[in-house]
Amino acid sequence: MSDPTPLAAALTGTRWRLRHADTVADPTKAAVLEALGDALGFPDWWGRNLDALADCLGDIEAPSRTLLLWDGWAGFAADDPRGFGLVRRLLADAGLAVLLRGDGPALGGPPA
């Protein structure tokens, strides 16, 4: 796991909340959804599918001040480009700022 501490320290005193998802060890869709749910504080009973992700993202308080740091995104993007695109679009539509840390495939701009 990459250490999010320096970024968290940089955000101290700002109105931003840092959330960290790490899918380096397991870039499967199931693991990505689990990691995102954990990072964003979803309830234990959430459905762990794309529809449930969209629903729970809508319940995040002040999403425009939430920064999601995602380590390990590249494995998911390479293995499941369609799934990655859908997750990326849902995060963007929810208003979260997402920092994809590390090298990965070229994304070609904002999510479509």
Side-chain angles (χ1 to χ4, degrees):
M1 173 189 286
S2 296
D3 186 6
T5 305
L7 183 55
L11 294 175
T12 300
T14 71
R15 296 178 57 182
W16 284 89
R17 285 187 306 248
L18 177 64
R19 300 294 184 249
H20 181 233
D22 187 337
T23 59
V24 171
D26 187 353
T28 62
K29 186 180 198 178
V32 164
L33 292 171
E34 186 71 29
L36 291 174
D38 288 347
L40 296 169
F42 294 169
D44 290 338
W45 48 261
W46 84 282
R48 290 164 180 79
N49 59 53
L50 293 175
D51 288 334
L53 177 63
D55 289 343
C56 288
L57 286 170
D59 293 337
I60 293 177
E61 184 179 332
S64 63
R65 293 192 321 260
T66 299
L67 173 60
L68 175 66
L69 173 62
W70 184 356
D71 287 308
W73 66 275
F76 182 49
D79 294 346
D80 184 356
R82 183 178 179 280
F84 174 74
L86 291 170
V87 167
R88 191 170 167 231
R89 167 53 50 203
L90 289 172
L91 295 170
D93 286 350
L96 274 75
V98 179
L99 177 58
L100 303 173
R101 182 161 56 174
D103 293 334
L107 299 179

